[in-house]
Amino acid sequence: MTQKIALVTGSARGIGLATAKLFIEQGWKVAMVDRDGDELSTAAAPLTEAKPFAYDVSIPEQVDQMIDAVLSVFGRIDAVVNNAGVADFLPIEETSFATWRRIMDTNLDGVFLVSQAATPALKETNGAIVNIGSISGLRASTLRVAYGTSKAAVIHMTKQQAAELGVFGIRANCVCPGPVKTKLAMAVHSTDIISAYLDAMPLNRYGSENEIAEVITFLCSDKASFVTGQVIAADGGFETTGVGLPALRK
């Protein structure tokens, strides 16, 4: 059986790196993409079934070059995981247009550009697209006017992709992580922020990078062959619950 190839953007660290490693455990080869070339090379070095590709997904010319390079090395693409993203949490009045554009460039434009460029290859393999949204794209919260809006747009883009590309056998789904125990989150989430999240989450804990990767790789696999156009919140129940849960626990 031909070994499958996954292209994972933003894979130098965090959820992207966890996803690349899990794909390899499941028998795939991985094209690891990140604009941070040095960290990408370090992350990919011990992974014999992965190759690093240092490109910026927000730049159209680099995306085209990246797809060509991946196909040159691997010959096919069976799944695309659009994980690359940036965040900047600011009040609306303090969010400059430059900040807005920087976030949209990667979080929204990058998903569009990579998916579009990879579509011909995915047609050949009846492949899958998994876009990484966020709980912030499903629920509004403070300081996320740019980030949350970008992720909400990614959620809808996923549905557009599913509607249009299904005729070619291409599936498109979106995973929306809730609070995840990454190095970045632990560095910026104060004790008060962590307590507030835990109070609002039925599972009462942060998720792990690997737990998100499990959902991503499932959606790329043949086990999800009849699943497309879906938005899955891997969030410990955060999106499901509303006002009153903390009080009810007491």
Side-chain angles (χ1 to χ4, degrees), residues 26-42:
Q26 295 172 355
W28 295 55
K29 291 187 177 182
V30 182
M32 297 175 63
V33 178
D34 204 287
R35 66 185 179 189
D36 187 340
D38 291 340
E39 190 161 355
L40 178 64
S41 294
T42 299

Side-chain angles (χ1 to χ4, degrees), residues 3 11 30 44 46-47 52 61-62 67 78 101 111-113 122 129 150 154 164 169 182 200-201 212 215 224 239 247:
Q3 193 167 22
S11 54
V30 182
L47 305 177
E61 295 78 13
Q62 288 200 28
I67 295 295
D78 297 88
R101 277 301 338 147
V111 174
F112 169 74
L113 292 169
L122 293 173
I129 297 170
S150 73
V154 166
E164 183 172 338
T182 63
M201 296 166 65
I212 308 302
V215 181
E239 195 269 336

Side-chain angles (χ1 to χ4, degrees), residues 244-250:
L245 181 60
L248 288 172
R249 284 184 179 159
K250 298 173 185 177

Side-chain angles (χ1 to χ4, degrees), residues 49 75 144 169 173-174 179 186 213 222:
E49 297 299 300
R144 285 165 170 77
N173 293 288
C174 185
M186 293 302 96
D222 291 338

Side-chain angles (χ1 to χ4, degrees), residues 16 111 132 145 169 209 219 228:
V111 174
I132 307 306
V145 65
E209 295 165 349
L219 290 172
T228 193

Side-chain angles (χ1 to χ4, degrees), residues 139-221:
R139 291 180 64 169
S141 56
T142 54
L143 310 183
R144 285 165 170 77
V145 65
Y147 180 77
T149 302
S150 73
K151 294 300 187 177
V154 166
I155 290 168
H156 189 74
M157 189 193 305
T158 303
K159 296 178 181 180
Q160 293 289 154
Q161 291 170 338
E164 183 172 338
L165 301 178
V167 69
F168 303 112
I170 298 173
R171 298 179 297 105
N173 293 288
C174 185
V175 175
C176 293
V180 176
K181 197 172 184 179
T182 63
K183 289 182 180 179
L184 176 61
M186 293 302 96
V188 301
H189 285 193
S190 66
T191 301
D192 286 344
I193 291 173
I194 293 172
S195 295
Y197 273 127
L198 296 183
D199 279 343
M201 296 166 65
L203 291 187
N204 200 38
R205 66 175 177 83
Y206 275 47
S208 71
E209 295 165 349
N210 197 66
E211 286 177 307
I212 308 302
E214 290 279 7
V215 181
I216 294 168
T217 58
F218 165 72
L219 290 172
C220 291
S221 75

